[in-house]
Amino acid sequence: MSRSTDPGHFFQTDASESTRARRAAKSGNKNGNPIVLQSKILSVIPDPFSPTCIFIAESAGCVRRVNVESRDSQTVYRGPTAPVTSVAIGGQGGATVFAGCWDKDIWSWDRETRAPGRRYRGHSDFVKTIICARIDGKDLLISGGADSKLIVWNAATGDRLHTLRDKTDTMMALQDLVLDPEASTDSEIILVSSSSDPQIRRWRIGLTSAAQILDAAQGAQSQGQPTRGTILEHETSVYRVLFSGYDEDADLWTASADGTAKCLSRARNWTTEETYEHGDYVRAVAVTTDWVITAGRDEDVKVWDRATGKLWHVYDGHFEEVTGLVVIDGEKKVVSVSIDGTVRTWGLGKADLEKARKERGEKLKGVLKEEKAKPKTSLLTAEEEAELAELMDSDED
C-alpha cells in the first residue's frame, strides 16, 4: 500500500498549518545561492582536503560531498537505510569517511572509491556525534550516542578501547565532541563533550586508560593553573562546542538551546567571556578572525562583529532550522545547511557584508524582490518526517 508524503493528508493544528504556509512562501528564495538537495541535512563538516568542499550527513541515509564553488554534489556514500546524523574524516591519512546513524551503528567508506568499509557496533541508541583522533600513531574514532555513552574505537580494527559514562549519571544524549588542541599531546587527548543537559564535560583519553576529568587538582598539575571538570555556563542543552585560536589562546565556543552562543575563556578557567544573544535555539556557531556566526531554529544566519560583540548583519534564506555552519575559502565565506535540504553560501568579506546589508535594507523597504528557486520535495513519508521532527525536538528538552 502506498504511503502519502503530503502533510495536507494528515491532521494539523492551526499553528502547524500557519508554519507550513510561511515556509512554503519562503521556500523559493535564492538567497545564499542555494544548492537544493532532496533530504534534510543534519550535520556538516569541512573537507580537510579542499577549501571549497564540505561533507554533509543526510536524513535520506547517506553522506554527500558538496563542492560549493562548482556546485557538484554527485559524490555520495550510500548504505544506511536510516538517517545519518554525523560525519567525520579520519583513519590512515584521512582516507576514511565515517558516519553516525539512527540505526545505532557507525558506517565507513573509502573516501576516494566510496567502497563500504567496517561497521562499528556498540551503542544502544542513535549515534549522535563522531570525531577522529590519533594517539601514539594509532587512529581512533570516538562516538557519542543518545544512550549517553562515549565509545573510543580503534579505527583500523574496530575494537572498542573504552566506554565512558558520566560518573554522576547526569549526562543526557551526547550532542557534540571536540579535541582540546592545547591540552592534548601525542600520547593523550583531552576531549570536550556537550549534551542535552547544560553541562560541558572533559575527558582524558589514552590508549590504555580513559576517564572523566573531575578533580581540579589533576588539571592543575598538568596545566599549571586551576581548572574545572564539569563546565556549567549555559541554562540548558549545548549543541555545539569548538575551539578557536592558537595553542594556549584557544578558547572554547558554544551554542545552546538557551538562545545564546558563548566564548568560554581558557585563561579564566572556562568562564564566560562573551555572550551572543542570538535568540531561540542556537544549533551552530562558527568563528573567524573578525566575525562570530550563529544560526539555529529561527532560520537566520547572524554575523556578529567579534571586536565589539554587536550584531553586524542577518543573512535570511533558510526556511527551516539551520543545523550547521562551516567557514571555508580562507575565512571569506560561511556555508550553512538546514533541515530545508539546502546548502547556502554567504560572504564574510567586508565588501560582501556591506553589499548584503544594503540589499537587506532595500528589501525591507520593498525596493528589491527575492529571486525564486524551485522548492524541493521530501523523500521521507509524513510519518518519517514526524519521527525526525520528534527526534529534533527531543534534543531541546
Side-chain angles (χ1 to χ4, degrees):
M1 186 174 75
S2 63
R3 301 167 68 189
S4 173
T5 62
D6 184 351
H9 294 166
F10 298 84
F11 173 78
Q12 297 182 84
T13 64
D14 290 343
S16 63
E17 177 63 24
S18 174
T19 298
R20 189 172 72 88
R22 178 189 63 78
R23 288 173 174 169
K26 189 180 178 183
S27 64
N29 79 83
K30 281 191 171 182
N31 300 342
N33 194 20
I35 297 172
V36 181
L37 303 174
Q38 296 303 308
S39 70
K40 299 176 186 293
I41 305 172
L42 304 183
S43 182
V44 60
I45 62 169
D47 182 344
F49 300 98
S50 170
T52 61
C53 292
I54 58 173
F55 285 87
I56 59 174
E58 296 189 38
S59 66
C62 65
V63 171
R64 187 183 304 268
R65 182 178 183 266
V66 179
N67 187 319
V68 297
E69 189 173 87
S70 70
R71 304 177 66 79
D72 174 36
S73 60
Q74 298 305 306
T75 302
V76 185
Y77 303 83
R78 302 187 186 278
T81 56
V84 172
T85 61
S86 49
V87 58
I89 308 297
Q92 185 67 38
T96 305
V97 176
F98 299 96
C101 185
W102 267 23
D103 63 10
K104 309 173 189 177
D105 291 350
I106 302 164
W107 294 67
S108 68
W109 300 265
D110 183 280
R111 182 172 55 84
E112 292 292 341
T113 68
R114 288 179 277 172
R118 186 182 304 278
R119 287 175 69 176
Y120 303 76
R121 291 173 169 152
H123 284 283
S124 58
D125 207 335
F126 303 138
V127 179
K128 302 279 287 184
T129 178
I130 56 176
I131 191 173
C132 294
R134 191 173 176 84
I135 298 177
D136 286 337
K138 291 189 179 297
D139 292 299
L140 306 182
L141 174 66
I142 307 172
S143 57
D147 56 6
S148 305
K149 293 179 184 177
L150 283 167
I151 299 180
V152 183
W153 312 80
N154 182 317
T157 66
D159 292 337
R160 268 187 277 176
L161 303 181
H162 312 293
T163 300
L164 299 167
R165 298 193 68 143
D166 178 67
K167 293 286 187 182
T168 59
D169 203 30
T170 57
M171 184 168 69
M172 299 174 70
L174 272 297
Q175 292 291 341
D176 199 20
L177 303 172
V178 66
L179 300 179
D180 186 333
E182 165 62 12
S184 299
T185 67
D186 290 342
S187 59
E188 179 182 81
I189 60 172
I190 301 300
L191 179 75
V192 177
S193 68
S194 67
S195 48
S196 294
D197 61 280
Q199 299 183 74
I200 297 171
R201 296 167 177 83
R202 301 169 73 237
W203 312 82
R204 189 181 306 276
I205 300 173
L207 290 180
T208 59
S209 64
Q212 185 178 353
I213 297 174
L214 292 173
D215 183 2
Q218 180 184 27
Q221 291 173 3
S222 62
Q223 296 295 309
Q225 61 182 15
T227 190
R228 299 162 71 185
T230 299
I231 302 167
L232 184 58
E233 295 291 320
H234 284 285
E235 297 175 5
T236 185
S237 308
V238 181
Y239 295 130
R240 183 83 170 101
V241 284
L242 65 88
F243 282 95
S244 180
Y246 299 96
D247 300 329
E248 68 273 8
D249 296 324
D251 293 326
L252 182 64
W253 293 77
T254 61
S256 170
D258 65 14
T260 69
K262 295 188 177 186
C263 174
L264 308 185
S265 170
R266 182 186 297 272
R268 294 171 51 191
N269 200 20
W270 309 119
T271 55
T272 301
E273 185 167 290
E274 299 285 348
T275 299
Y276 299 84
E277 299 281 353
H278 179 99
D280 213 335
Y281 295 91
V282 188
R283 286 281 183 181
V285 60
V287 183
T288 73
T289 304
D290 298 320
W291 310 108
V292 176
I293 307 99
T294 59
R297 195 170 70 173
D298 68 359
E299 305 167 6
D300 291 335
V301 175
K302 296 184 178 180
V303 182
W304 308 77
D305 188 328
R306 190 169 175 179
T308 65
K310 294 182 179 180
L311 181 63
W312 183 258
H313 180 60
V314 178
Y315 280 119
D316 175 28
H318 287 291
F319 51 95
E320 291 193 54
E321 182 172 315
V322 179
T323 52
L325 296 168
V326 166
V327 174
I328 64 167
D329 199 16
E331 298 191 347
K332 296 176 184 177
K333 300 173 184 175
V334 62
V335 175
S336 58
V337 300
S338 168
I339 294 296
D340 66 19
T342 67
V343 177
R344 299 175 189 253
T345 306
W346 316 96
L348 293 178
K350 287 282 189 181
D352 292 328
L353 283 164
E354 287 293 352
K355 179 182 178 183
R357 291 180 82 184
K358 180 180 178 181
E359 290 178 350
R360 180 175 174 82
E362 292 174 344
K363 175 188 166 185
L364 292 174
K365 294 175 183 177
V367 176
L368 290 179
K369 293 183 179 179
E370 292 178 342
E371 292 185 74
K372 297 294 183 180
K374 184 179 180 181
K376 68 178 181 69
T377 57
S378 177
L379 295 180
L380 300 181
T381 66
E383 292 94 334
E384 290 167 335
E385 294 276 7
E387 186 178 0
L388 180 58
E390 184 178 354
L391 175 66
M392 299 296 290
D393 289 342
S394 71
D395 292 341
E396 297 159 6
D397 294 336

